[in-house]
Amino acid sequence: MFDGYRLERIRVPGARRGALFRLIAVLLALAVAAAVLALLGHHPLTMGRDALAYTFGSALGLQDLGSLVAPLVMTGLAVMIGKRVNLWNIGGEGQFYMGAWAAAGIGIFVPGPAVLMLPLMALAGAAAGMAWIVVPAYARARANVDEIITTLLMNFIAVLIVGYFATGPWRDPGQTISASSRPIQFALPGLYGDLNIGIIVALALVVGCWVLFTRTAWGYEASYVGANTDSARYAGIPAARRVMATLLLSGAVAGIAGAIEVSGTVSRLQVGISSQFGYFGIVIAALAGGSFPGIVLAAFLMAVLINAGIILETQGLSLNAVIALTGWLLLLTGIAGVAAGYRLRRVHPRTGKVSA
Amino acid sequence: MSDLVPLLSNLLSSGLLAGGVLALAGTGETVVERAGVLNLGIEGFMAVGAVAAIAAVTATGNLWLGVAAAVVLGLALGLVLALVVVLFRVDQVVAGLGFSFLGSGLAAWLGAPYAGTPAAVTFARLEIPVLSDLSFFGKAIFSLPLPTYAAFLLGPVLVHLVLFRTRLGLGICAVGENPAAADAAGLPVVALRCLCVAFGGMMAALSGAYLTLVLVPTWSEGLTGGRGWITLSLVIFAAYRPLRLAVAAFGFGLITALGFSAQVLGVAVNSAFLSALPYLATLSIMLVAGHRARRTARPAGLGIPFEREPH
């Protein structure tokens, strides 16, 4: 079938080619998901139309979407920051939980003016996020301990801690169902309807990180360490310190996401405060493929998918179906990344010369 | 003092029961990593195996069909993973996480109808004559369900023998250490790696079936609870050796059981803390395993896709 054709490796595939292949992967993943739904007896086209009509056709739908985009941009950004030093922060979920926990602690118990308290809550969230990655980061930077497993394990502990506080010491005694804490006294200023300024904070963080990693010497050094640690060390860059600082920043961003979730969208500390945002962040970073604007686009796409999963719950879908879809998406994105590095070339049958 | 024997006895048997999950998945992953491939998707394989087993048992009432369902699905998914990481050479972290999400998501979504209902049939305890009558811990060790023995003895011993005493095992280890040299020596690198990944997928799915047919025995969302990730760190901690892995799995089973026993005894420790124990313990061993001595055991070709140099 491939007579007369030859796979040829492209030395450095361009960013645009990579993005095109990832886009194809997304479309292919959705097509396969639709086929699976059809096989299971659903009507994927009707479902897709219903979900899109609600999400984009109503003010409420758009607000829901916006409230999802904000945390997803931040958790995606957190993963991408780690990838700058070529490491995987799979612990965004736990850092999100701990950020929410720290912010809620201040928001419930410390009195003060909102103007002061809201930034303080965000700072506490950042600090908690950092605290939740400091051990894996140090172990990685100093002793080369695999960060994937350690950051992930921290997630389970964070979920247990938040569960303990939300249903234990911080429980709302007025509530019969004791799955959430007392209300937080401060709320983020709203933008429009249910949508708060969280989305602006998220976008500002993306811009800030873009500047840091592409326009400063520090960011250049960190990326250098990520590309080739030995070479960077030889060039006199303190590799371990750059790795440490970059991972702490990654944890801080995920922590801020958690702080914003409790001070904006949820306003209580809940057992399931993160709807798997940390894990979705991994898929978002993979889809973005190292591009900062790509994070926003990928987070938007993911928000649409999650929203669809929630809206279509009555039709047999759920957040879990979306998680399965994102796993499939991640696989195809990986394949697309490899495929982008090859080109199919026609070989002239007689001369053996290659033509495009 | 007289209370101590039944207490320890109970702890011992609970530890073996709970550790069986990790022993099964860990034996498989040891083979996968010896061949130079990292399967980060164990958690997903486990969840799929758990649901497949309970679904098959609910439909047929036959335990072994439950096991067979997990085996078939595990092998099939393992072959897909092998296709993706060995043949397509996709980044093993991305592919593994993809399988983790895909498996966990599918299991939680399609397994929802089975959530909370106990398995129709489960593996009963097997009282081994004479031995189970031994005083002290005879009952604890020699009256466990069949899969627990298979997980701790059959699996690790067989894998140990194959890995270190056969040509096949030598080939697997060579492929994991230096695939280019193995290839030059005429070993089928791609085929061996695919075989090992499929085996690992089967074992991970079986460990899921162990959850729903032996240990719990029911399905609920999030049932795997990070056991796939704990398995991954145990494999490193055991320095990629199946017999050591079995011991480590038992140790972890004990830690899990310790939490349960403490709760039963009414020890005044918070239950959230007790639930966090396995994760804290895993973190600690990861930090210890980062030590140089353990790292030298790591197959040199681990995680690196193999590609024959173009001529």
Side-chain angles (χ1 to χ4, degrees):
Chain A
M1 187 168 76
F2 292 112
D3 267 6
Y5 286 94
R6 189 170 78 189
L7 265 187
E8 204 175 66
R9 173 162 279 182
I10 301 169
R11 287 198 119 175
V12 186
R16 218 180 265 175
R17 188 179 169 83
L20 175 70
F21 272 72
R22 286 196 299 279
L23 185 66
I24 295 172
V26 170
L27 296 176
L28 207 60
L30 289 175
V32 171
V36 169
L37 284 176
L39 277 176
L40 290 171
H42 296 284
H43 303 281
L45 289 179
T46 326
M47 290 168 101
R49 205 187 48 212
D50 287 358
L52 290 179
Y54 174 79
T55 307
F56 294 105
S58 69
L60 218 59
L62 281 171
Q63 288 166 30
D64 285 352
L65 191 69
S67 310
L68 279 172
V69 170
L72 290 171
V73 164
M74 287 182 275
T75 53
L77 181 63
V79 177
M80 199 167 97
I81 291 171
K83 283 300 287 170
R84 278 276 152 177
V85 284
N86 205 16
L87 295 176
W88 286 98
N89 173 13
I90 310 293
E93 184 80 354
Q95 292 138 24
F96 187 102
Y97 265 91
M98 292 319 286
W101 172 82
I106 292 178
I108 295 170
F109 297 106
V110 185
V115 172
L116 211 68
M117 297 311 288
L118 284 168
L120 191 66
M121 283 165 71
L123 276 180
M130 283 200 253
W132 224 240
I133 201 175
V134 70
V135 172
Y138 188 78
R140 177 74 215 201
R142 293 288 164 192
N144 219 17
V145 173
D146 182 59
E147 82 287 355
I148 299 173
I149 303 175
T150 50
T151 50
L152 188 115
L153 285 167
M154 300 291 286
N155 292 348
F156 294 99
I157 303 171
V159 172
L160 287 167
I161 290 179
V162 166
Y164 168 72
F165 277 91
T167 59
W170 298 357
R171 186 170 60 97
D172 190 342
Q175 283 211 320
T176 39
I177 307 160
S178 59
S180 68
S181 75
R182 277 180 261 170
I184 289 160
Q185 316 161 51
F186 317 102
L188 280 182
L191 268 186
Y192 176 78
D194 286 341
L195 194 63
N196 58 54
I197 63 161
I199 181 92
I200 296 189
V201 177
L203 294 177
L205 282 172
V206 172
V207 174
C209 287
W210 174 76
V211 170
L212 179 66
F213 281 104
T214 64
R215 294 289 179 272
T216 70
W218 186 92
Y220 173 76
E221 287 180 6
S223 307
Y224 192 169
V225 171
N228 190 336
T229 313
D230 289 335
S231 162
R233 226 176 248 139
Y234 188 70
I237 298 168
R241 272 171 51 195
R242 292 294 176 273
V243 165
M244 198 60 207
T246 306
L247 283 181
L248 285 178
L249 178 65
S250 168
V253 170
I256 292 174
I260 284 178
E261 192 71 0
V262 287
S263 53
T265 311
V266 180
S267 75
R268 286 169 192 269
L269 187 68
Q270 288 179 346
V271 173
I273 185 74
S274 165
S275 310
Q276 316 280 332
F277 290 134
Y279 297 111
F280 287 127
I282 298 165
V283 187
I284 290 166
L287 282 174
S291 142
F292 284 94
I295 286 286
V296 182
L297 281 176
F300 181 78
L301 171 72
M302 199 57 67
V304 172
L305 291 177
I306 295 170
N307 222 8
I310 296 168
I311 293 164
L312 297 173
E313 205 140 324
T314 48
Q315 300 186 37
L317 280 195
S318 67
L319 191 63
N320 288 319
V322 180
I323 291 172
L325 171 64
T326 60
W328 175 233
L329 197 53
L330 205 49
L331 271 180
L332 286 184
T333 309
I335 296 172
V338 174
Y342 289 89
R343 173 164 36 201
L344 205 56
R345 283 219 156 179
R346 199 194 172 112
V347 185
H348 199 273
R350 247 167 298 163
T351 60
K353 271 187 185 163
V354 174
S355 62
Chain B
M1 187 62 206
S2 59
D3 290 343
L4 206 60
V5 169
L7 187 72
L8 284 178
S9 191
N10 195 5
L11 194 67
L12 205 58
S13 87
S14 313
L16 284 166
L17 272 173
V21 187
L22 304 172
L24 279 170
T27 306
E29 182 64 14
T30 300
V31 175
V32 178
E33 296 198 16
R34 277 281 176 182
V37 183
L38 191 66
N39 177 7
L40 283 184
I42 300 182
E43 190 84 9
F45 280 85
M46 229 183 234
V48 167
V51 168
I54 202 157
V57 165
T58 308
T60 65
N62 186 326
L63 264 180
W64 293 103
L65 283 179
V67 175
V71 166
V72 169
L73 265 177
L75 278 175
L77 283 176
L79 281 173
V80 177
L81 176 63
L83 181 79
V84 171
V85 297
V86 181
L87 281 166
F88 294 166
R89 299 189 293 273
V90 169
D91 184 303
Q92 293 177 12
V93 176
V94 172
L97 288 170
F99 265 86
S100 205
F101 295 174
L102 182 64
S104 303
L106 278 180
W109 178 39
L110 300 177
Y114 303 99
T117 33
V121 213
T122 59
F123 280 97
R125 283 173 179 265
L126 200 73
E127 305 241 344
I128 297 175
V130 188
L131 289 175
S132 62
D133 296 330
L134 288 176
S135 54
F136 295 110
F137 304 120
K139 189 116 189 143
I141 301 173
F142 298 108
S143 71
L144 293 165
L146 186 66
T148 311
Y149 297 115
F152 278 104
L153 292 173
L154 186 65
V157 169
L158 263 183
V159 165
H160 173 88
L161 290 177
V162 169
L163 272 184
F164 305 127
R165 296 279 183 279
T166 67
R167 289 181 68 87
L168 174 67
L170 192 68
I172 290 171
C173 294
V175 159
E177 282 297 334
N178 190 341
D183 182 56
L187 283 170
V189 177
V190 168
L192 277 176
R193 282 193 164 175
C194 288
L195 179 78
C196 292
V197 173
F199 174 74
M202 181 189 80
M203 293 301 281
L206 270 178
S207 77
Y210 183 98
L211 277 172
T212 44
L213 300 184
V214 180
L215 187 63
V216 180
T218 172
W219 165 255
S220 60
E221 196 185 318
L223 177 71
T224 51
R227 284 183 178 91
W229 299 96
I230 293 177
T231 301
L232 281 163
S233 45
L234 284 186
V235 171
I236 302 171
F237 183 65
Y240 311 90
R241 293 186 160 272
L243 296 181
R244 283 194 209 175
L245 179 111
V247 177
F250 169 58
F252 259 74
L254 274 185
I255 293 173
T256 319
L258 211 63
F260 284 124
S261 309
Q263 271 165 310
V264 170
L265 285 175
V267 176
V269 183
N270 181 268
S271 73
F273 174 73
L274 291 175
S275 312
L277 265 183
Y279 308 117
L280 288 169
T282 314
L283 262 176
S284 334
I285 65 161
M286 276 304 285
L287 300 182
V288 173
H291 217 260
R292 199 166 288 124
R294 300 272 178 193
R295 234 181 298 149
T296 50
R298 187 184 153 98
L302 185 58
I304 307 163
F306 168 68
E307 187 180 15
R308 198 175 277 175
E309 289 291 322
H311 297 296

